[in-house]
């Protein structure tokens, strides 16, 4: 999905790529539409895996952030905001779950 959207972006800039890039240079977030926790991502990956019968782990348990010690403090909820990319280029990623299922079916 990321490669497709980047390809569409490059295609849209084809008439004056250098000039247009100077106008819109900056930092953009680009991720599947919507958001999820690490637990939700893992659960969706396990559920959608076409080879889940081969899994050795059968149960997934969420772990609170307070139980997972990291050297630096991390925000509890920090989804990527892709609205600037969408507004500037008129492009957006499909829902993250759809992309995940396509990748797993791969």
């Amino acid at each position: 999905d990321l490669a497709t959207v980047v390809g569409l972006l490059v295609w849209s800039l084809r008439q004056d790529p250098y000039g247009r890039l100077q106008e819109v240079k900056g930092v953009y977030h680009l991720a599947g539409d919507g958001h999820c926790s690490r637990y939700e991502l893992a659960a969706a990956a396990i559920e959608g895996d076409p080879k889940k019968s081969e899994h050795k782990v059968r149960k997934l348990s969420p772990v609170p952030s307070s139980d997972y010690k990291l050297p630096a403090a991390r925000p509890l909820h920090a989804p990527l905001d892709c609205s600037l990319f969408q507004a500037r280029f008129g492009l957006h990623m499909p829902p993250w779950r759809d992309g995940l299922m396509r990748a797993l079916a791969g």
Side-chain angles (χ1 to χ4, degrees):
D1 289 345
L2 180 61
T4 298
V5 171
V6 170
L8 290 169
L9 173 62
V10 170
W11 178 254
S12 74
L13 301 173
R14 71 191 176 283
Q15 292 185 0
D16 183 18
Y18 296 107
R20 182 75 172 117
L21 286 175
Q22 286 303 312
E23 296 170 17
V24 297
K25 67 182 175 182
V27 176
Y28 298 92
H29 292 181
L30 187 56
D33 194 34
H35 55 86
C36 64
S37 67
R38 290 179 182 99
Y39 173 78
E40 291 167 321
L41 177 61
I46 289 169
E47 182 59 34
D49 187 353
K51 297 181 180 181
K52 67 178 151 187
S53 63
E54 299 174 15
H55 292 183
K56 295 183 192 263
V57 175
R58 300 288 179 201
K59 183 179 179 197
L60 186 65
S61 300
V63 176
S65 296
S66 59
D67 289 353
Y68 191 65
K69 303 300 177 201
L70 294 171
R74 302 282 189 245
L76 293 177
H77 184 72
L80 294 179
D81 179 359
C82 303
S83 60
L84 180 60
F85 183 88
Q86 293 169 2
R88 287 252 169 99
F89 303 108
L91 299 168
H92 69 278
M93 299 277 286
W96 68 267
R97 190 179 297 270
D98 295 351
L100 174 63
M101 292 307 123
R102 279 192 299 282
L104 291 171

